[in-house]
Amino acid sequence: MSKIIAIANQKGGVGKTTTSINLAASLAVLEFKTLIVDADPQANSTSGIGFDPRTIKHSIYECIINDVTAREAIQKTDTPNLDLLPAHIDLVGAEIEMINLHEREYKMKAVLEQVKDDYDFIIIDCSPSLGLITINALTAAHSVIIPVQCEYFALEGLGKLLNTIKIVQNRLNPNLQIEGILLTMYDVRLRLSNQVVEEVRSHFEDLVFNTIIARNTRLSEAPSFGISVIMHDANSKGAINYLNLAREIIHKNGLTVENPEANPKKVLKK
């Protein structure tokens, strides 16, 4: 049975999609079978991992609205052990179409039930909103990672998200946990970045991951090539950061990397 992790924050530009793609790719090259679920109508995880959303025949939208099976929609990526359940722009209308559906908050959960035993990890890239699709993701997930950028107003809106998570826990998914708060876009040269790290850690203590995601050129470039940073440059700071995050999550969940000495670059060449 897989661990389902939603990546959520209603603020845009905090690194949700970057984290979804690169955490999933890192778990995959550490030889854990992993699925990315693109639950954002902007379909950035879909394009960022090498697919054109305009040519996708079946997506998470068809699975939720038209009862297409998850296996019909899932695409294999160029990264070993990594699959994608894609999105396209039609997902924008899904929230309206779902309003009158029976058990509308559980639609994504039902879709993922079909394939959860095929994967070790399922990573859900949520949209920058707290709408019905994001509620579906939180209802389907075992835990949530909250990316927080190391910039001014970092904690803005975080209270609202935590309140939403509490509502979901109380009403829809009592087993939902916070996997951790992930500090992103860290710039060691900026005093502000260090202040934000201190502030978030003082507020949330053990909820904050030890791994911090630094600003990195290779990390920014990778989506334009339709690949993860580990496929783009496995030696880059961005790749190393996300591999460290993957290892931290693996350890936190009581799992072990089968071959701790495994070189991700060798895995990618298989």
Side-chain angles (χ1 to χ4, degrees):
M1 182 177 158
S2 62
K3 176 75 180 270
I4 304 174
I5 303 175
I7 315 290
N9 191 328
Q10 78 273 23
K11 282 189 72 175
V14 298
K16 284 188 299 296
T17 298
T18 299
T19 296
S20 299
I21 292 172
N22 293 299
L23 172 58
S26 296
L27 290 165
V29 300
L30 292 171
E31 304 188 346
F32 289 89
K33 186 77 174 147
T34 306
L35 174 69
I36 305 176
V37 178
D38 192 348
D40 184 351
Q42 296 175 81
N44 288 336
S45 278
T46 301
S47 59
I49 208 71
F51 293 86
D52 184 346
R54 295 168 297 181
T55 64
I56 294 293
K57 186 177 179 184
H58 296 312
S59 71
I60 186 69
Y61 169 83
E62 281 78 21
C63 295
I64 290 172
I65 301 298
N66 298 329
D67 295 325
V68 169
T69 68
R71 287 190 179 89
E72 287 179 81
I74 286 171
Q75 306 281 333
K76 288 202 170 297
T77 75
D78 292 335
T79 304
N81 302 315
L82 182 62
D83 292 346
L84 169 74
L85 181 47
H88 58 57
I89 193 64
D90 285 357
L91 197 57
V92 168
E95 299 210 357
I96 296 169
E97 294 178 63
M98 290 166 70
I99 285 173
N100 295 319
L101 293 182
H102 178 62
E103 295 199 321
R104 61 190 182 185
E105 295 90 353
Y106 296 93
K107 292 298 177 184
M108 192 179 299
K109 183 180 174 72
V111 171
L112 297 184
E113 286 282 334
Q114 303 164 18
V115 295
K116 68 179 184 181
D117 293 334
D118 299 344
Y119 297 96
D120 299 305
F121 287 95
I122 297 176
I123 306 296
I124 308 174
D125 182 15
C126 297
S127 64
S129 73
L130 294 178
L132 192 49
I133 298 294
T134 299
I135 296 299
N136 261 259
L138 294 174
T139 302
H142 298 119
S143 64
V144 55
I145 291 174
I146 304 168
V148 173
Q149 81 279 38
C150 295
E151 295 177 357
Y152 198 60
F153 293 137
L155 299 181
E156 186 184 64
L158 198 53
K160 188 175 180 183
L161 175 61
L162 293 171
N163 190 49
T164 299
I165 290 169
K166 194 171 288 184
I167 291 168
V168 171
Q169 288 169 327
N170 290 336
R171 300 183 186 176
L172 300 167
N173 183 4
N175 297 317
L176 181 66
Q177 302 289 322
I178 295 176
E179 190 77 23
I181 293 171
L182 177 66
L183 291 157
T184 64
M185 303 179 188
Y186 175 75
D187 189 334
V188 69
R189 300 166 300 176
L190 298 180
R191 196 171 81 179
L192 176 61
S193 282
N194 293 301
Q195 287 173 340
V196 170
V197 170
E198 287 177 25
E199 186 177 4
V200 172
R201 287 202 160 137
S202 67
H203 269 80
F204 298 103
E205 299 175 341
D206 293 344
L207 277 180
V208 185
F209 285 109
N210 292 324
T211 303
I212 296 176
I213 309 301
R215 283 193 180 277
N216 178 246
T217 303
R218 294 299 199 198
L219 198 54
S220 303
E221 289 172 350
S224 66
F225 295 98
I227 52 177
S228 66
V229 70
I230 202 164
M231 292 281 281
H232 184 45
D233 183 353
N235 293 317
S236 67
K237 184 178 282 189
I240 292 165
N241 286 166
Y242 276 108
L243 279 165
N244 287 338
L245 176 64
R247 290 188 177 103
E248 192 173 342
I249 289 168
I250 289 163
H251 178 73
K252 189 173 183 178
N253 284 279
L255 302 170
T256 55
V257 178
E258 282 190 25
N259 180 9
E261 302 302 316
N263 184 340
K265 285 183 282 187
K266 289 182 181 176
V267 176
L268 294 171
K269 287 177 183 175
K270 284 183 179 179

